[in-house]
Amino acid sequence: MLESKRKAIIFIVLSLLLALTAGFLVLKKVQALNTNLGTTVQVYVASAEISSRSLITPNNVKTEEIPKKYLKDYHVRDVKKLAGKVSVVPLSEGDIITENILKDAASVVEENNRLITLMKSERVFFDEPLEALDRVDIIVSHRFNDKEETSIFMKDVKVARVAKKDNKFQGVQLEVPLDKAPELIHMQNYSDSLRIIKANVGKKEEQEEASKTEAEPAKEEKPAPKKEEKPKQEPAKKPAEEKPKEKPAEKPAEKPKE
């Protein structure tokens, strides 16, 4: 009898320990779910329709709360990240704004221009590393009808962006008119060699204009040297104008003494 009681007591204690352990684990799981789902964070969404390539302003965005569990790195939580940005896709009211659809307003091309990517390859060569807003010339070498030819394909093309890997230059995105884009892509794919060289045409003209504007005020500040004034010579009087000299009055003749 005592042995059966002892076994029953041990069984009850083990059951209580297992129940307490299970309850503790369930409580932790519920707390974790409440932490992720119950805790909310604020992200920015569109408060009105935002067309693509239009500047995002405080008037067309608002904050909205989402569970912390669903928060991702690309969600925008800081309003400073929206300053000077545009969306590359149209947004409707309530759409969540993410960093992967935002671009700098300065880097967005004009409506009639397109960005063409040129990376270093067996066909594409860069004479030197480039930076954004540089100007380049494109020289193409190809063989047509068993005749080798090298010519300037495009001149003064704007560099919109620069691609780097491990801080090493890899390629560029060039901003070209829409009608020139197919030609550039064709040359990129089928020419024997496509060389991109830096051209400082735009910068040179700006520097010349700046130097001219600086030089003009300097010229105005310097007073012109005064010429020494020569004494005015009175015009010589004409002989006709000269007054005749008065003759001395003749003395009366003396009478002879008687």
Side-chain angles (χ1 to χ4, degrees), residues 18-230:
L18 290 173
L20 290 173
T21 304
F24 179 77
L25 294 175
V26 170
L27 179 62
K28 283 292 185 182
K29 185 66 176 178
V30 171
Q31 287 179 348
L33 290 174
N34 290 334
T35 301
N36 291 332
L37 296 176
T39 304
T40 59
V41 293
Q42 290 186 341
V43 296
Y44 280 90
V45 301
S47 62
E49 290 188 0
I50 302 176
S51 58
S52 61
R53 304 181 185 277
S54 63
L55 190 66
I56 296 176
T57 63
N59 296 329
N60 50 27
V61 296
K62 64 179 181 180
T63 57
E64 190 174 280
E65 293 183 350
I66 62 171
K68 189 176 180 180
K69 179 181 180 181
Y70 301 111
L71 180 67
K72 302 296 181 182
D73 294 336
Y74 51 75
H75 286 134
V76 178
R77 299 181 61 191
D78 188 359
V79 70
K80 293 180 180 179
K81 293 183 178 181
L82 299 176
K85 301 289 185 179
V86 297
S87 174
V88 297
V89 296
L91 297 174
S92 301
E93 183 178 356
D95 288 348
I96 296 177
I97 301 174
T98 57
E99 293 183 6
N100 53 4
I101 65 171
L102 298 177
K103 299 294 181 184
D104 292 331
S107 65
V108 176
V109 297
E110 297 180 7
E111 184 178 356
N112 296 325
N113 291 356
R114 297 294 182 268
L115 294 180
I116 305 299
T117 302
L118 296 177
M119 304 297 289
K120 284 184 177 180
S121 65
E122 296 179 354
R123 289 194 179 95
V124 181
F125 302 92
F126 294 87
D127 282 4
E128 59 182 302
L130 300 171
E131 298 293 340
L133 304 182
D134 279 343
R135 297 278 178 169
V136 296
D137 298 333
I138 303 175
I139 299 177
V140 175
S141 298
H142 59 91
R143 182 178 298 175
F144 185 73
N145 292 334
D146 295 333
K147 183 181 178 181
E148 297 177 348
E149 182 180 352
T150 299
S151 60
I152 298 176
F153 177 63
M154 297 181 73
K155 294 178 65 176
D156 195 30
V157 182
K158 177 184 174 182
V159 177
R161 299 190 188 94
V162 175
K164 292 184 179 181
K165 185 178 181 181
D166 297 332
N167 206 24
K168 292 183 179 180
F169 178 79
Q170 297 295 323
V172 295
Q173 278 190 327
L174 301 181
E175 183 177 338
V176 299
L178 179 59
D179 56 345
K180 292 290 184 181
E183 299 178 18
L184 179 56
I185 295 173
H186 179 81
M187 289 297 180
Q188 179 185 5
N189 293 331
Y190 299 107
S191 65
D192 296 328
S193 172
L194 191 137
R195 184 177 293 272
I196 293 93
I197 59 177
K198 188 174 181 180
N200 291 326
V201 177
K203 292 184 179 179
K204 187 176 180 182
E205 290 177 354
E206 292 176 0
Q207 292 174 356
E208 289 179 355
E209 290 179 0
S211 61
K212 285 180 182 178
T213 53
E214 291 176 358
E216 286 175 359
K219 289 180 180 178
E220 292 177 359
E221 290 175 0
K222 292 181 179 179
K226 295 182 179 180
K227 295 182 179 179
E228 295 182 358
E229 296 182 357
K230 295 181 179 180

